[in-house]
């Protein structure tokens, strides 16, 4: 994956979920086709922690089924950083094990200006890929 496009409506939904969950990290799955995100699936952070997240395996399984039924591909797993910048922590990087999926981190550090960065992790090396927010 070399880049990702996200509609503004999906970005706004992700920010609303993160603000509602703060100071706990929020998380979820972004799906679409090619490099274009079309759908966001909010997930429960079963760690209920301000510095960790873990998705509920049963909930994740249900989302994967919905995604397949809709003909969408899992493009990225996202989580929020309520108080820290949008970068992968060492633990995030260690737990980034799903192949061919990008990892998006949404930072609420500047409460008025939330921003996101996307990373691809390959052999324990994280590389940032461009994210473009598009109209829609
Ligand atoms: Zn993190």
């Amino acid at each position: 994956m070399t880049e990702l496009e996200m509609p503004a409506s999906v970005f706004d939904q992700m920010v609303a979920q993160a603000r509602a969950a703060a100071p706990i990290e929020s998380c979820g799955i972004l799906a679409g086709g090619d490099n274009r995100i079309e759908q966001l699936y909010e997930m429960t952070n079963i760690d209920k922690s301000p510095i960790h997240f873990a998705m509920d395996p049963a909930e994740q399984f249900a989302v994967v089924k919905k995604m397949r039924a809709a003909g969408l591909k899992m493009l990225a797993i996202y989580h929020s950083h309520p108080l820290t910048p949008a970068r992968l922590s060492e633990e995030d990087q260690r737990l980034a094990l799903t192949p061919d999926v990008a990892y998006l981190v949404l930072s609420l550090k500047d409460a008025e200006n939330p921003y996101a960065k996307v990373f691809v992790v390959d052999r324990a090396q994280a590389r940032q890929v461009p994210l473009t927010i598009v109209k829609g």
Side-chain angles (χ1 to χ4, degrees):
M1 187 176 300
T2 52
E3 60 175 328
L4 264 188
E5 267 184 26
M6 174 183 276
S9 59
V10 171
F11 182 79
D12 291 346
Q13 190 186 348
M14 193 170 64
V15 169
Q17 178 200 3
R19 283 182 169 150
I24 301 300
E25 289 191 2
S26 60
C27 61
I29 289 174
L30 298 164
D34 298 324
N35 292 329
R36 170 76 190 240
I37 292 161
E38 291 170 33
Q39 184 73 45
L40 172 150
Y41 298 95
E42 296 187 11
M43 305 283 291
T44 308
N45 176 3
I46 55 172
D47 270 358
K48 301 198 187 311
S49 159
I51 51 166
H52 301 279
F53 80 102
M55 297 193 289
D56 177 346
E59 202 178 30
Q60 194 174 353
F61 184 73
V63 164
V64 168
K65 265 173 61 176
K66 266 193 227 169
M67 245 171 6
R68 287 207 185 119
L72 302 174
K73 193 173 154 239
M74 191 192 298
L75 296 178
I77 292 172
Y78 70 87
H79 71 283
S80 68
H81 282 179
L83 300 168
T84 56
R87 58 175 176 237
L88 291 180
S89 67
E90 275 182 34
E91 182 183 278
D92 288 338
Q93 209 159 312
R94 196 158 40 78
L95 298 176
L97 297 172
T98 310
D100 303 322
V101 164
Y103 288 84
L104 182 150
V105 185
L106 171 69
S107 173
L108 301 182
K109 189 170 191 275
D110 178 351
E112 298 304 310
N113 297 294
Y115 70 99
K117 286 185 180 175
V118 179
F119 303 89
V120 169
V121 181
D122 187 20
R123 293 184 199 91
Q125 296 279 23
R127 162 172 68 82
Q128 192 183 342
V129 299
L131 171 70
T132 310
I133 309 291
V134 295
K135 274 190 193 164

